[in-house]
Amino acid sequence: MGLFDRISDIISANFNDMAEQFEDPEKMLKQAVWEMEDSIAEARKQTAKAMASTKLVERELASNESESLNWKNRAQQAVQAGDDELARKALQRKQEHDKLAVALRDQLAAAQDASQTLRHQFEAMQAKLAEAKRTLATLSARQRAANVRKKIHLQAADEELGFDDGAFAKFDRLRDRVERTEAEAEALAELEGGADKSFKAASKCSTAVNDSIDNQLDAMKRDLQ
């Protein structure tokens, strides 16, 4: 593919559409950026050559215009001196430079057009390369974010978030230990409370039995009297 074909392809490229057509758009855009940089490097050389050619033609044209004016002045001096032969020779030299100047003006116009076209295309390629790099940076950031989200979702689904859960497990064990200790304390308190009630009930029962025996003994003594 020639340079101008590559320039046309680059300038007309739509990177968003290109990215959507490839399975790995980031890789595709990186490759496109590399190719664009190579093409731009070649376009820079060609543009520089065209600009240099324009400058050379400008200098050559200026030199011939200057020589034409110089021989014109010599012809006038020869005429003033009455030397027509010398004047003719001077005018012939002037005519030679005039013809070259005419050709150089046409050449300069073509060189300027080519140089300007290449320069505009080169600037357009640079702008397109900047656009491609921005698109690549945006796409790369989106890809990284998507990969992170995907990893998090997969880890969450597998209950493997990758965090150190030792502190949480330790807290749960400590909580269980405290709750068990509290439950044991409540059980002991309940047991002690039950023992006190049983002792009091037994004491009341023993007192009641003793009172009944005493009453029976008193009644028996009264009967015997």
Side-chain angles (χ1 to χ4, degrees):
M1 182 183 293
L3 174 62
F4 290 99
D5 291 334
R6 293 201 301 272
I7 290 175
S8 178
D9 290 343
I10 290 172
I11 294 175
S12 62
N14 186 319
F15 298 109
N16 290 325
D17 291 344
M18 291 171 64
E20 293 177 356
Q21 297 174 5
F22 287 82
E23 182 177 353
D24 190 347
E26 184 177 3
K27 181 179 180 180
M28 183 280 301
L29 282 176
K30 286 182 179 179
Q31 181 65 32
V33 167
W34 293 334
E35 293 177 357
M36 289 171 65
E37 289 174 339
D38 289 342
S39 297
I40 287 176
E42 181 63 25
R44 181 184 288 107
K45 293 178 182 178
Q46 297 297 331
T47 302
K49 288 181 179 179
M51 293 173 66
S53 297
T54 300
K55 293 181 181 296
L56 291 175
V57 174
E58 287 176 344
R59 292 173 185 173
E60 189 174 357
L61 174 60
S63 175
N64 280 277
E65 289 176 340
S66 177
E67 286 297 317
S68 174
L69 181 60
N70 179 44
W71 284 110
K72 178 181 179 181
N73 292 335
R74 290 187 180 186
Q76 291 174 344
Q77 291 173 359
V79 170
Q80 291 174 352
D83 190 343
D84 290 348
E85 185 65 23
L86 184 59
R88 287 190 182 92
K89 290 181 179 180
L91 288 174
Q92 288 176 351
R93 296 295 302 275
K94 175 183 179 302
Q95 190 176 33
E96 292 174 358
H97 288 290
D98 286 343
K99 290 179 179 179
L100 287 173
V102 171
L104 287 170
R105 289 189 188 97
D106 292 339
Q107 185 177 345
L108 177 61
Q112 287 175 333
D113 288 342
S115 177
Q116 187 175 20
T117 298
L118 283 174
R119 187 163 186 171
H120 288 165
Q121 289 179 337
F122 176 70
E123 292 172 351
M125 291 174 71
Q126 287 183 311
K128 206 67 179 181
L129 176 60
E131 178 190 347
K133 288 182 176 180
R134 289 193 299 271
T135 302
L136 176 59
T138 300
L139 186 64
S140 297
R142 289 171 55 191
Q143 185 66 43
R144 289 193 297 271
N147 289 338
V148 170
R149 290 196 301 269
K150 181 179 179 180
K151 181 178 180 181
I152 290 175
H153 290 320
L154 290 175
Q155 289 176 333
D158 295 337
E159 295 182 352
E160 294 179 356
L161 291 176
F163 300 124
D164 183 6
D165 59 352
F168 297 95
K170 183 177 181 180
F171 174 80
D172 290 338
R173 290 195 299 272
L174 180 60
R175 182 188 60 188
D176 293 341
R177 186 180 301 173
V178 171
E179 290 178 351
R180 177 174 292 277
T181 301
E182 289 176 343
E184 291 176 355
E186 291 176 359
L188 289 173
E190 184 177 343
L191 289 173
E192 290 178 358
D196 289 341
K197 290 179 181 179
S198 298
F199 177 76
K200 291 178 179 178
S203 298
K204 288 181 179 180
C205 182
S206 176
T207 302
V209 170
N210 290 334
D211 290 343
S212 176
I213 292 174
D214 289 341
N215 292 334
Q216 291 179 26
L217 180 60
D218 291 338
M220 186 178 292
K221 286 179 179 180
R222 286 194 298 271
D223 293 338
L224 293 174
Q225 288 179 354

